[in-house]
Amino acid sequence: MNASKISARNVNVFYGQKQAISDVSLDFDSDVVTALIGPSGCGKSTFLRTLNRMNDTIANARVEGRIALDGEDIYAAEMDVVQLRARVGMVFQKPNPFPKSIFENVAYGPRIHGLASGSAQLADIVERSLKRAGLWDEVKDRLSDSGTALSGGQQQRLCIARAIAVDPEVILMDEPCSALDPIATARIEELIHELKGRYAIVIVTHNMQQAARVSQRTAFFHLGSLVEYGTTSDIFTNPRQERTKDYITGRYG
Amino acid sequence: MSDGVAPIVPGTAAPVTVPARMPTDWQTASRQTRIRRRYAAEARFRLMGLFAVVMSAGFLAILLFTMISNGIGGFAQTRIALPIDFPRAGLTLDQARLKGPGADLALAGAGLPEATQAAAIVAYGPDGDKLLSDGAWLRVRDQVKANPALLRGRATLWVPAADTIDIAAKHDGAPADEAIVAKLKAMGALSTGFNAFFLTASDSTDPTMAGIWGALKGSIFTMVVTLLIAFPVGVLSALYLEEYATRNRFTDLIEVSINNLAAVPSIIFGLLGLAVFLNTFHLPRSAALVGGLTLALMTMPVIVIASRNAIKAVPPSIRDAALGVGASPIQVVFHHVLPLALPGILTGTIIGMARALGETAPLLMIGMRAFISAPPDRLSDPATVLPVQIFLWSDQVNRGFVEKTSAAIIVLLVFLLAMNGVAIYLRNKFETRW
């Protein structure tokens, strides 16, 4: 196996005086889906957002430690945040398509990064991304309709298509199914399976069954620290820590 | 039944036992009275709201009715038939000069004003020249210019009547003038027509010659300057404060200052404009440029506040989405935040601009109340604006200006409605359906 795609070392995150993450070290590999689980407020979403520097938008957030993407420190002064976010895409908890057409939603990323030369190539990228997100057959006849007119599950797949249109190396998913019904959730999980081979995927989830279904590695967070990290089957069948066992058996959380 | 026991408070004698459940009987008389009262309160409130709406609509209707009934006469003009025998009028005129740009000067120099007055005396007796407006000869001039053949014979031309005759013809004049009007009417020498002059001329001491065009043009110039300065500065300030500035004591201070600035009486802005633009920068007095700058100072805080609210209302999830695909902060602002905030920004802008359009006090301070008889050609030319023109005319003793004042108010309201119409059109155009 190659060196890790993303490696985090001794990461601390503070919101003002309050410490949200303490001393977390984690490696994420390409071609693997890693699930971050833990009770509410345990810092798993905060940690996810440090991986593409979305925490920069929060005024009093401060990150310490080293996070490297392919060996490059992403918090280094010379790191271009725009480029970083193109390489590390993100899907959010609530589907948030732009209030523009379906086509424009997907074409936006390639367009601002100048990835397509000419409209034919752009249309090509849009079609490929929508196909990969499993949405093409449902929307191919109404690409000019508003993205916000789709159903919740379709909107979330549109957001995934938007994220993969810029050809990222890593996709971060912040509880992508928590606002969706079980059928739409199943579609997204299927999609994660299909995307697995191409990208390093990190998914935050509240739903332990979901973590067990979609991921190969699982990290359990509690009160801002990493309690246990291992293969998903180990975590769910043979947890080493008492706290992990209590959580996955439903004692708390 | 342990839940039904009240906690024992130290110091109270006997603990009170509360029954676990006490079903409410909704059918008792007191309950029913309560329900009836609630319905009555609802009905009262609706009635009050309806009354308020009807009252404000009523006031608007009264305003419009008064203005239109008073002002409509300002758009009408009383004309008198004037027979002129041009070959005998003693004009010393070079026919060749009638063509080209020198024609106006040539006709004035040839004695046309005197000839017009003489013709009136011939037609209507020794006081005949007093029946004509001071500008009557201008109408003769225009007709001669249009048709030089008139100069070779006798012709009867329709020229504007004097203001006393004009008022009398509109049944509001002195008894002596009413008598003259009756006589003229019997002769068939009186007619009424649309006063094109009112829309094309500028201020004059003679109400029959006074027009609104100069003030309208001044208002348009002033508004353009105001919009060009206040809109970009206001929107950029709002964007900076909302999207870029970090929250600290300094930005709080700016926010408080802007909010207070929006509440400052307008005349203070006039004093500020006087001190800064005229006394310090020595910009021309009475100019639309200075008026526009002063009103921009006044309008900007309104635009900033409205824009900030509109920007705040853009959901953060849209910003996250754009940042998440790697948009730079400026792309987030211009591709997503601004388009979504634009309807709200435009609403704020139109409120500010409407207020600026109706503003008189600050413009008085920078000298825009001067008597200006020519429409401005450049931003630095002396100009006046519609509300100041209305104020000046309403101060005039001459009764002819009464209906001119109302007519000017109609023009101002039409201008305002046109401006609002454009804003509503733009707002609907940019409105995004979610």
Side-chain angles (χ1 to χ4, degrees):
Chain A
M1 185 177 281
N2 314 337
S4 305
K5 190 74 196 167
I6 295 184
S7 102
R9 287 287 168 274
N10 310 106
V11 175
N12 291 298
V13 181
F14 300 87
Y15 291 125
Q17 293 298 310
K18 191 178 159 286
Q19 183 158 13
I21 297 281
S22 39
D23 201 33
V24 170
S25 298
L26 257 180
D27 287 333
F28 301 100
D29 289 332
S30 334
D31 311 341
V32 166
V33 179
T34 308
L36 309 183
I37 60 168
S40 299
C42 69
K44 52 196 190 308
S45 289
T46 298
F47 181 72
L48 189 78
R49 289 170 73 97
T50 61
L51 300 180
N52 69 344
R53 291 184 59 175
M54 283 300 281
N55 275 345
D56 289 13
T57 58
I58 299 165
N60 58 358
R62 189 160 49 86
V63 179
E64 284 173 2
R66 187 185 145 90
I67 298 174
L69 175 66
D70 287 336
E72 263 180 281
D73 183 1
I74 65 168
Y75 282 87
E78 63 272 12
M79 172 51 78
D80 179 38
V81 185
V82 164
Q83 218 172 34
L84 169 72
R85 291 191 187 130
R87 292 171 65 190
V88 183
M90 190 155 191
V91 177
F92 296 85
Q93 185 170 0
K94 211 178 125 231
N96 55 355
F98 300 129
K100 300 177 189 236
S101 73
I102 293 168
F103 183 91
E104 282 304 314
N105 261 285
V106 183
Y108 182 69
R111 191 173 278 157
I112 58 172
H113 295 298
L115 298 183
S117 54
S119 55
Q121 204 184 346
L122 190 64
D124 208 43
I125 292 178
V126 170
E127 181 177 340
R128 208 169 52 223
S129 307
L130 284 169
K131 274 182 177 158
R132 232 180 260 172
L135 193 61
W136 177 252
D137 290 333
E138 291 157 61
V139 300
K140 64 183 175 205
D141 301 322
R142 45 177 184 141
L143 288 176
S144 54
D145 285 10
S146 174
T148 50
L150 297 173
S151 74
Q154 288 175 325
Q155 286 189 16
Q156 195 61 301
R157 277 181 282 148
L158 179 62
C159 293
I160 293 174
R162 181 176 65 191
I164 59 186
V166 292
D167 231 351
E169 298 154 33
V170 182
I171 299 177
L172 309 177
M173 297 185 174
D174 189 357
E175 300 183 29
C177 303
S178 65
L180 305 181
D181 64 69
I183 294 166
T185 302
R187 286 290 278 126
I188 303 272
E189 288 181 7
E190 229 171 89
L191 178 56
I192 293 172
H193 271 300
E194 284 156 22
L195 296 174
K196 185 176 68 187
R198 296 171 178 276
Y199 315 95
I201 296 176
V202 184
I203 176 170
V204 163
T205 177
H206 260 313
N207 180 334
M208 279 174 288
Q209 285 76 32
Q210 183 172 64
R213 282 193 300 264
V214 303
S215 71
Q216 288 79 55
R217 303 261 177 91
T218 299
F220 173 58
F221 280 72
H222 187 224
L223 300 176
S225 27
L226 177 66
V227 177
E228 191 167 346
Y229 179 40
T231 63
T232 300
S233 54
D234 275 354
I235 294 277
F236 280 94
T237 56
N238 190 18
R240 285 190 303 276
Q241 300 278 336
E242 201 59 32
R243 276 193 286 172
T244 316
K245 194 174 155 198
D246 286 349
Y247 181 70
I248 60 167
T249 54
R251 290 275 184 81
Y252 66 91
Chain B
M1 282 303 283
S2 63
D3 292 359
V5 180
I8 297 166
V9 184
T12 48
V16 183
T17 331
V18 180
R21 192 176 128 66
M22 197 164 59
T24 312
D25 181 5
W26 293 98
Q27 301 308 321
T28 59
S30 70
R31 287 280 141 204
Q32 289 297 317
T33 321
R34 270 184 78 90
I35 291 168
R36 267 199 305 280
R37 273 205 208 121
R38 181 156 56 79
Y39 278 121
E42 291 278 345
R44 248 192 335 266
F45 186 75
R46 272 182 54 173
L47 219 65
M48 267 152 63
L50 189 67
F51 177 70
V53 169
V54 168
M55 202 157 94
S56 44
F59 281 134
L60 189 67
I62 290 170
L63 174 83
L64 286 179
F65 176 76
T66 320
M67 283 309 143
I68 290 172
S69 59
N70 282 344
I72 205 79
F75 293 101
Q77 182 184 48
T78 309
R79 294 174 191 152
I80 290 184
L82 181 68
I84 302 185
D85 190 358
F86 283 105
R88 299 218 191 126
L91 296 176
T92 52
L93 191 63
D94 177 6
Q95 291 280 347
R97 287 183 63 194
L98 274 178
K99 302 257 183 299
D104 286 358
L105 220 65
L107 281 165
L112 197 60
E114 296 77 9
T116 306
Q117 283 188 3
I121 289 166
V122 170
Y124 300 113
D127 281 336
D129 58 330
K130 302 216 169 53
L131 298 180
L132 301 188
S133 156
D134 293 348
W137 73 272
L138 293 172
R139 186 54 44 85
V140 177
R141 180 192 73 186
D142 292 344
Q143 293 183 46
V144 167
K145 250 172 35 182
N147 181 13
L150 283 175
L151 290 173
R152 286 198 291 274
R154 271 182 76 94
T156 300
L157 304 178
W158 288 96
V159 298
D163 54 332
T164 48
I165 303 299
D166 189 44
I167 296 166
K170 289 165 185 164
H171 309 292
D172 201 20
D177 296 326
E178 298 259 15
I180 297 171
V181 165
K183 214 168 79 191
L184 285 171
K185 264 198 183 140
M187 292 162 65
L190 222 52
S191 76
T192 310
F194 177 68
N195 188 358
F197 227 72
F198 183 69
L199 291 178
T200 55
S202 291
D203 199 7
S204 167
T205 45
D206 179 354
T208 57
M209 302 290 298
I212 202 70
W213 175 234
L216 185 62
K217 205 171 169 191
S219 266
I220 292 170
F221 279 11
T222 310
M223 285 298 107
V224 166
V225 173
T226 304
L227 187 67
L228 286 184
I229 305 228
F231 185 72
V233 172
V235 173
L236 285 176
S237 312
L239 277 175
Y240 182 80
L241 286 172
E242 280 302 317
E243 298 287 318
Y244 289 98
T246 46
R247 277 243 160 278
N248 56 29
R249 202 166 284 188
F250 182 65
T251 44
D252 282 350
L253 188 73
I254 291 181
E255 185 170 346
V256 171
S257 312
I258 289 175
N259 289 348
N260 281 332
L261 217 53
V264 167
S266 57
I267 193 149
I268 312 247
F269 285 102
L271 284 168
L272 182 74
L274 175 66
V276 175
F277 300 129
L278 297 187
N279 294 348
T280 310
F281 292 122
H282 300 291
L283 291 173
R285 197 167 285 273
S286 306
L289 176 67
V290 180
L293 286 169
T294 308
L295 293 179
L297 288 179
M298 200 190 80
T299 311
M300 204 191 63
V302 180
I303 296 181
V304 172
I305 291 170
S307 303
R308 287 189 67 176
N309 288 335
I311 291 165
K312 247 183 235 162
V314 175
S317 67
I318 295 296
R319 291 186 183 83
D320 278 351
L323 288 171
V325 293
S328 66
I330 194 168
Q331 286 170 332
V332 174
V333 165
F334 283 97
H335 295 168
H336 301 284
V337 175
L338 203 54
L340 290 176
L342 207 54
I345 292 175
L346 286 176
T347 307
T349 305
I350 202 62
I351 290 171
M353 292 295 288
R355 204 183 127 195
L357 177 64
E359 204 52 76
T360 319
L363 300 178
L364 300 181
M365 302 307 296
I366 55 152
M368 287 187 91
R369 65 159 301 167
F371 174 81
I372 290 149
S373 58
D377 285 325
R378 279 163 307 172
L379 290 179
S380 54
D381 286 346
T384 189
V385 293
L386 287 168
V388 174
Q389 189 69 77
I390 290 165
F391 167 71
L392 291 175
W393 281 351
S394 70
D395 244 12
Q396 292 274 354
V397 186
N398 193 322
R399 297 202 55 181
F401 278 109
V402 173
E403 61 181 20
K404 298 288 170 197
T405 308
S406 297
I409 290 172
I410 292 175
V411 172
L412 177 62
L413 289 179
V414 169
F415 188 0
L416 196 70
L417 287 178
M419 220 163 78
N420 282 353
V422 170
I424 289 167
Y425 168 75
L426 287 176
R427 197 176 60 198
N428 290 344
K429 201 179 138 160
F430 290 121
E431 194 110 71
T432 312
R433 311 254 176 271
W434 290 83

